[in-house]
Amino acid sequence: MEQRILLRGTFLKERAISTVFLLVIIVASVQFALNPLLQHFMPTLRNDSMVYAGILIAWLFILMNVRDIILMNMLRPKFAAKRAEATAQKVAALEGARQNEQQDGK
């Protein structure tokens, strides 16, 4: 969950690029994979717009989850670097505060 929060607020460039790729993949997969398969196995399904819309929404959510998994794995080193940087800043601040206390105590 923490990684999803980080993904929402950071690395906007990567997220935007992946969203563009996701849109292209969705359009291409629906046009060239999903529709022909549905036409072959269930020819009358596209006439029932609610079921067809449900299938398209489910396909969208599946592809979004796959995109998020791939993106998280690609950004894992960047997240680790950001966490290490934040930890280093906290340690430096604590060290500075402790040195100030020691100097004030002398």
Side-chain angles (χ1 to χ4, degrees), residues 50-102:
M50 291 302 287
V51 174
Y52 182 64
I55 291 171
L56 290 179
I57 290 172
W59 183 243
L60 170 69
F61 286 143
I62 290 169
L63 289 178
M64 284 174 56
N65 283 333
V66 168
R67 187 262 324 247
D68 285 345
I69 291 168
I70 292 170
L71 196 58
M72 290 306 299
N73 286 329
M74 288 175 49
L75 294 176
R76 191 176 311 273
K78 290 184 180 181
F79 287 140
K82 274 196 165 227
R83 286 187 189 118
E85 181 181 321
T87 303
Q89 287 176 352
K90 287 179 185 176
V91 168
L94 290 173
E95 287 292 324
R98 187 171 59 163
Q99 285 179 358
N100 286 342
E101 284 179 9
Q102 288 176 355

Side-chain angles (χ1 to χ4, degrees), residues 5-41:
I5 292 170
L6 278 172
L7 182 61
R8 286 186 193 129
T10 56
F11 307 114
L12 294 176
K13 177 182 167 189
E14 288 88 349
R15 182 115 171 130
I17 291 171
S18 70
T19 301
V20 170
F21 281 125
L22 178 66
L23 289 173
V24 170
I25 290 169
I26 288 171
V27 169
S29 67
V30 167
Q31 181 68 29
F32 299 113
L34 195 60
N35 282 342
L37 285 173
L38 290 175
Q39 185 65 30
H40 179 69
F41 292 111

